[in-house]
Amino acid sequence: MKATAVAHPNLAFVKYWGKRDEALRLPAEGSISMTLSGLSVRTTVEFQEGTGKDDVIRIGGEDARGEERERVVSFLDIARGLAGTDLPARVESLADFPRSAGLASSAAAFAALALAASRAAGLELRDRDLAALARQGSGSATRSIHGGFVEWRRGARADGADCHGVQLTPPEAWPELRLLASVVEKVPKPCSSTEGMRRTAATSPFYSEWLALVKRDLDRARRAIRERDLALLGETAESNALAMHAVCLAAWPPILYWSPGTIDVVRRIQALRADGVPVYLSIDAGPNVFAITDSLHEGRIRGALEELRAVESVHASAPGPGARLVEDHVF
Ligand code: PMV
């Protein structure tokens, strides 16, 4: 009753920002991402008798507390419900990048947890059921179940059974694509993505326009990925990310995820592009900036980003694999 899984974060070219069902984490619209080879989370789950009745949850070598712990326990309850067990679990999760860096660790963490917990509980879920399970931990985790380029379909059903990530193309279809994550200094996070989505939908005057834009961008991103068109993918991703931040800025109270360093990186990427370098950007609900480019230009862009005082580190990724079981157990 023990299993270990590895999963990678993902970066959305067309963002998920808004829910149609809060409890089930069903999105108002679809989204499209790439799974990131360069960063990973490894999670071991063991269900055992005789360990007391509470779950033991360790993240990054420390006991999880408060809301973070509650979120994992609630997720384990869903997995226990599916498997028909009530045994307590021991969970150990380790990322190969600092958690404080804000690099979308929850997507990788819940994808790895969904696979390890379901296997440890004796379930062999089909990919779509695994992706639907991961979605209930963190929406974007449903995309990290798969490798390469992934679409999270909005689905139509109220129970979410048709709402999960599906692979558009495998990592080998576009191995030259590169995403460079620049980690910049933190500002206190104005709000979680859950609260940010709620507030945007309730108060931002541009929310319905945002959802219409996502529909258009999904078509564009699918075509860009199919045709391996970096300019179309990059323009779609950059304008989609900036529109997401604009719709957040227009909410009340306003939501600004950027730090001064974010603006330095945005300007540098846009200046490189003005010089003829094929590079575009995307930003999640935090201050870090992702550069979107190809392997030919990766070195030059890395150099230009590392030169900036605001940039603490740069992490490069090609299209990476989906969540998978591994032998190596950490306890
Ligand atoms: O899955 P969550 O609740 O962490 O939300 C993810 C939101 C964004 O990263 C901003 C967009 C996305 O699609 O990944």
Side-chain angles (χ1 to χ4, degrees):
M1 299 209 78
K2 178 175 176 182
T4 299
V6 170
H8 303 266
N10 64 77
L11 186 269
F13 301 119
V14 182
K15 308 273 186 211
Y16 149 52
W17 197 255
K19 293 182 174 68
R20 65 183 167 93
D21 184 311
E22 285 251 351
L24 290 173
R25 288 184 201 276
L26 303 179
E29 263 307 333
S31 53
I32 292 181
S33 63
M34 183 182 107
T35 304
L36 305 176
S37 68
L39 305 161
S40 67
V41 172
R42 172 182 300 253
T43 300
T44 299
V45 177
E46 183 170 22
F47 290 101
Q48 35 183 208
E49 303 199 51
T51 52
K53 51 182 179 21
D54 285 341
D55 297 314
V56 176
I57 294 157
R58 296 184 54 81
I59 301 178
E62 288 169 13
D63 286 324
R65 287 173 211 292
E67 260 178 46
E68 188 174 42
R69 181 186 155 82
E70 284 316 303
R71 203 163 157 188
V72 176
V73 171
S74 311
F75 184 80
L76 289 169
D77 288 341
I78 298 173
R80 277 188 279 254
L82 281 177
T85 174
D86 56 6
L87 291 177
R90 184 183 158 106
V91 175
E92 184 90 45
S93 181
L94 285 172
D96 62 1
F97 52 94
R99 280 208 301 147
S100 59
L103 289 169
S105 56
S106 73
F110 280 102
L113 182 62
L115 180 54
S118 58
R119 277 306 175 102
L123 296 169
E124 286 205 23
L125 300 179
R126 292 178 303 171
D127 269 2
R128 51 176 298 172
D129 297 330
L130 187 61
L133 174 62
R135 188 201 76 227
Q136 295 176 70
S138 166
S140 53
T142 195
R143 298 187 308 240
S144 280
I145 293 297
H146 302 283
F149 299 85
V150 183
E151 177 163 356
W152 176 11
R153 301 249 158 88
R154 177 191 188 279
R157 290 178 52 152
D159 66 359
D162 58 351
C163 180
H164 52 80
V166 291
Q167 188 179 63
L168 292 174
T169 59
E172 307 76 60
W174 198 352
E176 306 83 12
L177 198 70
R178 289 292 180 279
L179 293 190
L180 275 68
S182 308
V183 175
V184 301
E185 82 278 7
K186 300 284 147 325
V187 283
K189 200 168 167 146
C191 60
S192 66
S193 54
T194 302
E195 165 58 19
M197 289 180 202
R198 197 180 289 144
R199 198 188 297 171
T200 305
T203 67
S204 182
F206 308 131
Y207 184 65
S208 57
E209 280 83 353
W210 157 251
L211 294 181
L213 179 86
V214 168
K215 267 198 180 39
R216 184 202 72 183
D217 286 348
L218 288 170
D219 285 337
R220 287 191 177 178
R222 274 187 219 110
R223 180 152 64 87
I225 290 164
R226 197 169 53 238
E227 295 173 2
R228 304 187 353 152
D229 182 336
L230 175 58
L232 180 61
L233 183 65
E235 281 170 26
T236 305
E238 184 164 327
S239 63
N240 185 271
L242 295 176
M244 184 196 98
H245 286 273
V247 83
C248 286
L249 276 175
W252 197 264
I255 309 166
L256 173 58
Y257 285 113
W258 297 18
S259 70
T262 308
I263 295 176
D264 294 345
V265 182
V266 168
R267 290 224 163 104
R268 179 57 64 97
I269 290 173
Q270 291 178 338
L272 283 163
R273 191 163 71 236
D275 268 358
V277 181
V279 59
Y280 305 85
L281 63 90
S282 180
I283 307 172
D284 275 341
N288 297 329
V289 184
F290 289 79
I292 304 167
T293 188
D294 58 22
S295 52
L296 255 177
H297 298 88
E298 178 184 349
R300 171 157 178 206
I301 294 162
R302 175 188 279 278
L305 296 176
E306 282 175 345
E307 247 173 48
L308 294 174
R309 273 214 313 192
V311 172
E312 286 170 9
S313 56
V314 176
H315 306 259
S317 285
R324 60 211 178 272
L325 291 166
V326 292
E327 283 304 312
D328 171 29
H329 293 161
V330 287
F331 56 82

